[in-house]
Amino acid sequence: MKANNSLAFSPSEKVTGWRLFIKTIGARAYPRVIGMQREKSWMFFDVFLPLLAVSAYVFVYRAIGAPEEYVGFVVVGGAMTAFWLNILWSMSSQLYWEKEQGNLALYIMAPNSMMAVLLGMALGGLVATTLRALAIIVLGSLIFQVQYSITSFTQLIAVFFLAMTALYGMGMMSASLFLLFSREAWHLANLAQEPVYLFSGFYFPIKSFNFWLAAAASFIPLTLGLDAMRQLIFPSGALLGFLSVKFEITVLIILCVVFLAGAKFLLDYMEKLAIREGRITENRR
Amino acid sequence: MNHSESFRSFTMATWLGWQVESNWADPFLFAIYVIIKPLAGAAILVVMYSIITHGNYNSPLFPYIYLGNAFYIYVGSVMTGVSWAVIEDREHYKTLKYMYVAPINIPFYLLGRGVSRVLIGTVAVIVTLLVGKLFLHVPLDITKINWGLFFISLFIGVTLLAMMGLILASITLMIVNHNFFIGDAVASALYLFSGAIFPLEVLPAWLRPIGFAMPITYWLELMRRSLIGNVAQAFPTLARFSNLELISILTGLTIIFGIASIFTFRWCDHRARERGLIDRVTNY
């Protein structure tokens, strides 16, 4: 009798090297992007909630008689909170969640690079979060009639991508640190929310701070990214900018290199440390 | 109702909630955690205000914003605290099913789990008020505070929030996805509509009725009036109401929410048992 070929075991093509690296990135990014299509209730929670916060801050500015461009500052800042929340809850603490669910050991056992796993998380998170941020900007701009005046599309796109690269590099770096955490991971991510909204100037221009405080806050890529974007899209943005856009772009490039290299170094180190201390499969609830 | 069982459920849950909330870190780190988040939230508003007004903290609007935001800490803490207990026990610790088979009263257990958040929230509120008084000229004068009104309003307000938290916890029993956010969603909505950080007159006219329907609007007004008296009464939103009228409204709404929470819990609890949702893990 002739065997049924469709049931025969056929090993898939063995992928190694950079192909495996790319494939791992795609595989880890896939659930983040596809998950959005399968579970559409995110639109309510991930767009509606930040929009409520944005609205509250807009009405505060209106109550104290602020110029209308501050409303635009809040809308753009509110949209960018989506990226910070994504970094905190879906990048930094992701390896902790994976450990809790038992996936982390599988990631490490599999013959792929952990760096590729983190890059995939970052890429998928970036695509998904950009859609959320865009929805907040569009809705916020329509509701509060925000006027934009873009001075340079090229610089705006460069600033956005550099800020995101540096930010997600930072997220990858902190993910490796969170590898060692247990219950405290949730609390530490929760703790890092409002202080960063404050120091990165999500709802006001960072120039309002003392120079050195603003310079220290620039360590978080969103600080300079947001400041540069505001300078490029609002007529009075340049007057309220912390540094010149060109200088901020230069600093963002440096931050990209520092955070991506730091992520690679820390991930290698922390993975070894976590394996040595037996924390990959621990579950201290 | 078995009173000893209800009391035991409440006190045991209070102790358990405190352990869950606090024993993940040493006391120093925990203390920092408790105060940094609310202070940063308050600082955002302070910076926004000072940029526009060039640091004019003498305007009555500033204490209005500052005190509203400070007491709003309770809203997030209590409501999310009670509802979050369902998620923690069901999804994280996977112990909700054991709580159900234990000889305890589940609504009192859930309310007890929220008490630790009330304590943490109280510390955060006190620190926020102290910072306001010491560094930002918030006109808090300990000799002029209407302590009677303050404690009565605080008690009724926290009870109201606990009842709202129980309603959210009941709904959380039924929700499959994104139930992590229900407390935050409601707290965010109330933040916008309850006049916590700006007078309701700033809202478009068609949105103001939502604010007047929210019990927290009246509670925050009472807290402000008890602390800074005439300054709070200067705002037109609720100026036509006397303190007694505001307390009556708040008490009435608290009773309504209390009754609603009992019926909501009974219904959601029955549905959750019927559909086998008590030990569900959604992994979101």
Side-chain angles (χ1 to χ4, degrees), chain A residues 71-107:
Chain A
V71 172
F73 286 11
V74 169
V75 170
V76 174
M80 300 307 273
T81 59
F83 291 104
W84 182 243
L85 290 176
N86 188 249
I87 289 297
L88 283 181
W89 297 106
S90 301
M91 282 298 297
S92 301
S93 40
Q94 186 65 35
L95 294 185
Y96 159 72
W97 302 129
E98 303 287 11
K99 186 161 67 176
E100 289 281 296
Q101 292 173 14
N103 289 338
L104 185 61
L106 303 178
Y107 283 167

Side-chain angles (χ1 to χ4, degrees), chain B residues 93-234:
Chain B
Y93 299 115
K94 300 180 177 67
T95 52
L96 189 61
K97 57 190 169 192
Y98 303 117
M99 296 300 169
Y100 262 81
V101 295
I104 61 171
N105 182 316
I106 294 294
F108 277 86
Y109 168 76
L110 293 173
L111 290 171
R113 287 292 301 273
V115 172
S116 57
R117 297 276 184 119
V118 177
L119 297 174
I120 292 168
T122 302
V123 174
V125 171
I126 291 171
V127 171
T128 308
L129 292 179
L130 275 175
V131 169
K133 167 72 183 163
L134 295 175
F135 302 108
L136 300 166
H137 313 295
V138 175
L140 285 170
D141 184 343
I142 207 159
T143 59
K144 290 180 182 167
I145 293 173
N146 184 343
W147 289 107
L149 182 64
F150 176 81
F151 283 114
I152 289 170
S153 307
L154 186 64
F155 176 76
I156 301 172
V158 171
T159 308
L160 165 82
L161 294 172
M163 293 303 112
M164 293 170 84
L166 189 57
I167 292 174
L168 293 183
S170 310
I171 296 167
T172 305
L173 280 171
M174 307 274 300
I175 296 176
V176 182
N177 302 326
H178 294 297
N179 38 15
F180 291 86
F181 298 109
I182 192 165
D184 290 335
V186 175
S188 297
L190 294 176
Y191 194 56
L192 176 62
F193 295 114
S194 61
I197 51 172
F198 51 84
L200 286 184
E201 284 69 33
V202 180
L203 282 175
W206 58 276
L207 282 177
R208 283 177 216 158
I210 301 175
F212 285 110
M214 301 279 177
I216 292 168
T217 309
Y218 303 96
W219 177 59
L220 291 175
E221 177 74 6
L222 278 166
M223 297 312 291
R224 286 191 198 100
R225 285 192 188 186
S226 66
L227 292 176
I228 53 171
N230 295 334
V231 180
Q233 279 171 306

Side-chain angles (χ1 to χ4, degrees), chain A residues 77 80 84 167 170 192-207 209 213-214 216-228 230, chain B residues 44:
Chain A
M80 300 307 273
W84 182 243
L167 182 70
M170 186 188 186
Q193 224 165 280
E194 275 80 4
V196 170
Y197 290 170
L198 170 67
F199 292 111
S200 291
F202 277 72
Y203 300 109
F204 49 80
I206 193 72
K207 195 182 183 182
F209 282 140
L213 184 59
S218 303
F219 182 73
I220 297 162
L222 272 176
T223 309
L224 290 184
L226 199 49
D227 189 73
R230 282 175 178 152
Chain B
I44 290 172

